[in-house]
Amino acid sequence: MSKRVLEILKSRFGADIYETHSQFGDDTAVVNPEKWLEIAKFLRDDPQCAMNMFVDLTAVDWLGRQTPRFEVVLHLHSFERNHRIRLKARIGDDDANGVEIDSLVSVWIGANWFERECFDMFGVHFKGHPDLRRILMYPEFVGYPLRKDYPADKIQPLVELRNVPDKLPPFGLDEGMPFGRQTHDYPRGEETN
Amino acid sequence: MEPLDRDLEEGLLELPSEPMMLNMGPSHPAMHGTVRIVLELSGEMIQKADVQIGYLHRGFEKMCERGTWTQIFPYVDRCNYVSPMLNNVGFALAVEKMLGVTVPERCQYYRVVLGELARLCDHMICSGAMCMELGAFTPFLYFARAREIIWDIFEEETGARVTHSFGRVGGMANPPTKYFKDMVRAGVPRVLQLISEGEKLLLKNRIFLDRLENVGVMSKEDALALGWTGVVLRASGVPYDVRRAHPYLVYDRMEFDVPVGTTGDNYDRFMCRQEEIRQTARIIEQALDQMPDEGPINIDDPRIVLPPKQEVYTTIEATIQHFKIVMEGIKVPAGECYSYTEAGNGELGFYMVSDGGGTPYRVRIRPPCFATTQGLEQLITGLMIPDVVPTFGSLNMIGGECDH
């Protein structure tokens, strides 16, 4: 971790860096969510920061404890300079309105799946993400499991036979289904045309 | 007879075709883990790939919010189930970073040796499974036999063969057994011998090499931007090893080389892994020589470490102490930290938020193969279907860890 990066950030962005701390030796900057993408680009391109390695992106739900409810947390590492930094941005209110932030896929391609996971688990919407789908949960899943108001023992409704041709469909309707779930009420051969 | 290579125009040979969709997985005999790859094919050429994970998701992070800090150890075991000891050590180090404690020297060496043994396991299974998926079954048996030796050591030490749950905050569950050093010293050379024998069957095999060389090439810059770590990153030519860059435990006292590849293809990933097995054996040897025979394993802090079982049964103070730790959990200071170690397939990170209680407010695992698997799409686009098998095999994707 590097305190120097924090100094550079503070001098470059001034009031957009809300808060910095170095708890347990990890240097952290809480930034303005509006400037999220700009700061990320700066960190990658500035030769003194050179954060070329994307490490991790996640979120923390502070329901009932902080007013902007969600914290999007980004970890970066510079291979050349061998230092790390953590960026945080606070977004959203208690009813989970306005939970959106810029996507970083244009800066590091590695952000793709991490942002999809964050969307899947917390419902954080990433503006400009090329392919924002659920990744760990199935598409029919209701709710966002890692939010604090999602009960851990909640039971999800049974999923209907998937009829929607989602992004890339499998074969015919009943192919690959167990015999018990196969339906033969459509004429065979029609699907192949 | 008519010559076979008739000079035909391409347009006459190529049939007009529309892309064909092919599902590979979720459970495919030639891939480890449950991953579905939806391929868009033109002939046998992959034009587009959509890698879908999540089939093994068990809500690791949600589960962690429900128990105490120490109850997470069995969960981390089941993340990377090929080398659970490295996950154990990684998580213990993360909590110790927040508590601000350092385990005694003997425990540090003990963790290094156990962790490196687990790394041997991880690399062997990955290399072995990759060969097996390519049809070379015999080398897999050699590697599996070698892993058996290590599991025997783990069984003697921890009582369990695969999921040990052996790590503890502030130490280890048990001190090393009396014959620990002898067992490891006898086992590791045998492991290396088996690996060399298995390698001999592969590395002069033209078919094996042809399927690995120049297949699935990843550039240095892309690997970094994708967040790749571990062997796959080093095979692309970046000499980044957490044990070197940010030494934890006693890695700064160890002498070892970081094997680096040149092209970043499947062959490089395979060879880096094989070389790392030998380097790991070097580390084990040095750690065993330096490890003290006497001394405490756990730190001396009744707020963190459970009292000895004998005292729990005989004194009321120890009973109360035991009860407090088990029921309320260790009180970890409020704040957040990110702790990272070098696991079997890369940088295993734990980002943890504590509100000062005995239960974590949030535990985030950064699984190395999650980042690795997202590069698969880029790797296999433009290749043929049979190339998916060795490419996927060389990434060392572990389902339990990728899907946490």
Side-chain angles (χ1 to χ4, degrees):
Chain A
M1 301 276 178
S2 166
K3 288 203 168 48
R4 199 149 146 271
V5 179
L6 288 185
E7 296 304 318
I8 296 171
L9 273 182
K10 267 191 267 186
S11 62
R12 172 76 174 69
F13 288 99
D16 285 322
I17 310 293
Y18 291 163
E19 188 189 320
T20 56
H21 66 76
S22 303
Q23 217 169 26
F24 305 115
D26 298 358
D27 293 307
T28 311
V30 184
V31 305
N32 184 352
E34 302 287 319
K35 300 275 175 162
W36 185 246
L37 185 64
E38 196 183 318
I39 292 174
K41 269 202 183 116
F42 172 78
L43 281 174
R44 182 193 63 177
D45 295 331
D46 186 66
Q48 284 185 304
C49 305
M51 297 291 188
N52 51 356
M53 192 168 147
F54 179 85
V55 177
D56 190 23
L57 187 139
T58 185
V60 183
D61 182 3
W62 292 98
L63 178 64
R65 300 202 190 195
Q66 278 182 16
T67 324
R69 179 174 160 189
F70 293 97
E71 246 176 19
V72 180
V73 186
L74 170 72
H75 289 93
L76 296 173
H77 175 232
S78 165
F79 168 66
E80 281 112 40
R81 308 240 160 209
N82 203 4
H83 57 214
R84 287 173 183 254
I85 194 169
R86 178 189 301 141
L87 279 192
K88 297 205 292 184
R90 297 184 176 137
I91 47 169
D93 62 6
D94 270 0
D95 297 325
N97 297 318
V99 191
E100 57 176 18
I101 197 161
D102 288 320
S103 165
L104 299 181
V105 180
S106 56
V107 188
W108 297 279
I109 39 173
N112 191 328
W113 275 26
F114 287 89
E115 284 179 355
R116 273 177 71 186
E117 192 198 341
C118 195
F119 163 72
D120 189 357
M121 294 295 161
F122 289 95
V124 179
H125 189 80
F126 290 90
K127 284 180 282 185
H129 190 284
D131 184 21
L132 201 61
R133 289 178 289 153
R134 285 191 179 270
I135 183 165
L136 293 175
M137 294 295 171
Y138 46 94
E140 292 87 357
F141 191 90
V142 186
Y144 301 102
L146 278 183
R147 284 188 180 174
K148 288 284 175 189
D149 52 5
Y150 184 92
D153 51 358
K154 185 175 174 181
I155 293 169
Q156 286 282 322
L158 278 178
V159 180
E160 296 265 318
L161 196 64
R162 196 175 295 160
N163 204 356
V164 197
D166 60 346
K167 196 186 171 208
L168 289 171
F171 308 102
L173 264 185
D174 60 351
E175 269 181 282
M177 281 285 165
F179 286 107
R181 295 187 74 175
Q182 285 186 5
T183 48
H184 294 289
D185 48 356
Y186 63 90
R188 301 287 294 180
E190 225 178 60
E191 290 289 306
T192 52
N193 291 329
Chain B
M1 219 171 116
E2 213 174 348
L4 279 172
D5 50 345
R6 275 182 307 176
D7 200 17
L8 282 176
E9 275 181 44
E10 285 232 331
L12 292 173
L13 282 174
E14 295 251 328
L15 291 170
S17 64
E18 55 186 51
M20 180 185 143
M21 297 292 185
L22 183 78
N23 275 296
M24 214 164 167
S27 41
H28 188 275
M31 302 212 289
H32 19 159
T34 33
V35 179
R36 175 184 178 213
I37 308 179
V38 186
L39 302 163
E40 204 180 300
L41 301 170
S42 156
E44 264 198 286
M45 201 72 82
I46 297 162
Q47 289 185 320
K48 225 161 118 187
D50 181 27
V51 184
Q52 297 180 358
I53 59 165
Y55 290 93
L56 274 177
H57 181 66
R58 289 154 299 178
F60 170 83
E61 292 167 24
K62 194 79 176 172
M63 300 272 274
C64 291
E65 289 170 11
R66 303 185 75 196
T68 61
W69 291 92
T70 30
Q71 282 169 349
I72 297 173
F73 282 106
Y75 299 147
V76 290
D77 265 354
R78 280 143 187 88
C79 278
N80 188 341
Y81 41 73
V82 185
S83 53
M85 193 59 84
L86 283 165
N87 298 17
N88 267 274
V89 171
F91 182 72
L93 282 172
V95 183
E96 281 157 18
K97 184 176 174 183
M98 292 190 92
L99 286 165
V101 295
T102 316
V103 291
E105 193 164 272
R106 190 175 176 214
C107 180
Q108 297 197 11
Y109 282 110
Y110 191 40
R111 280 180 177 180
V112 166
V113 177
L114 288 177
E116 294 300 320
L117 284 174
R119 195 188 310 282
L120 282 181
C121 259
D122 198 286
H123 287 349
M124 278 186 304
I125 275 306
C126 176
S127 298
M130 183 177 156
C131 314
M132 186 184 62
E133 286 150 9
L134 290 173
F137 195 72
T138 318
F140 173 73
L141 291 178
Y142 277 85
F143 291 145
R145 178 74 194 88
R147 185 178 64 157
E148 200 76 1
I149 294 168
I150 296 175
W151 275 0
D152 284 343
I153 297 172
F154 274 134
E155 194 180 3
E156 285 295 314
E157 287 299 306
T158 68
R161 284 175 81 80
V162 190
T163 46
H164 323 290
S165 308
F166 196 59
R168 293 288 183 274
V169 178
M172 284 309 224
N174 279 315
T177 54
K178 200 176 161 192
Y179 299 109
F180 173 61
K181 285 187 177 181
D182 296 340
M183 270 191 301
V184 181
R185 282 200 178 113
V188 171
R190 179 89 186 103
V191 168
L192 289 182
Q193 194 194 340
L194 280 164
I195 286 167
S196 307
E197 283 172 21
E199 245 182 21
K200 270 185 215 158
L201 296 169
L202 295 168
L203 292 183
K204 295 214 173 127
N205 186 332
R206 195 69 247 166
I207 304 170
F208 183 73
L209 295 181
D210 279 349
R211 297 198 63 180
L212 260 62
E213 273 171 341
N214 292 322
V215 176
V217 181
M218 177 60 83
S219 74
K220 192 176 171 178
E221 292 74 27
D222 279 358
L224 278 169
L226 273 167
W228 279 19
T229 42
V231 179
V232 285
L233 177 68
R234 292 194 281 275
S236 293
V238 185
Y240 174 69
D241 189 322
V242 181
R243 295 173 292 173
R244 248 311 141 64
H246 308 271
Y248 54 96
L249 293 173
V250 286
Y251 280 112
D252 49 344
R253 299 178 207 170
M254 304 289 161
E255 268 182 39
F256 63 99
D257 301 326
V258 179
V260 177
T262 47
T263 47
D265 57 357
N266 288 344
Y267 181 72
D268 273 1
R269 286 193 275 273
F270 180 78
M271 288 313 285
C272 280
R273 217 163 254 132
Q274 296 304 102
E275 182 53 34
E276 217 171 283
I277 290 177
R278 301 201 163 83
Q279 297 301 328
T280 294
R282 266 178 80 190
I283 297 177
I284 293 176
E285 206 174 292
Q286 293 170 46
L288 282 180
D289 288 342
Q290 296 175 22
M291 182 174 161
D293 283 322
E294 295 298 322
I297 275 288
N298 292 336
I299 54 168
D300 186 20
D301 192 336
R303 291 168 305 166
I304 297 171
V305 177
L306 289 173
K309 226 16 169 218
Q310 195 55 40
E311 285 177 31
V312 176
Y313 291 142
T314 48
T315 63
I316 188 68
E317 290 80 10
T319 313
I320 294 170
Q321 197 52 53
H322 187 276
F323 187 80
K324 290 276 273 186
I325 290 180
V326 170
M327 297 308 286
E328 291 175 7
I330 301 164
K331 297 284 185 294
V332 173
E336 56 187 346
C337 99
Y338 180 75
S339 163
Y340 45 100
T341 53
E342 178 81 16
N345 38 16
E347 175 187 315
L348 174 77
F350 286 101
Y351 169 66
M352 303 198 295
V353 181
S354 167
D355 56 356
T359 303
Y361 189 74
R362 169 113 170 85
V363 173
R364 153 81 184 166
I365 181 172
R366 187 249 181 225
C369 52
F370 189 77
T372 312
T373 315
Q374 77 170 331
L376 182 63
E377 189 182 324
Q378 190 184 332
L379 279 181
I380 61 175
T381 307
L383 299 184
M384 315 257 271
I385 305 177
D387 294 332
V388 175
V389 176
T391 309
F392 187 72
S394 70
L395 291 184
N396 192 10
M397 180 265 187
I398 308 285
E401 187 178 67
C402 188
D403 295 350
H404 33 288

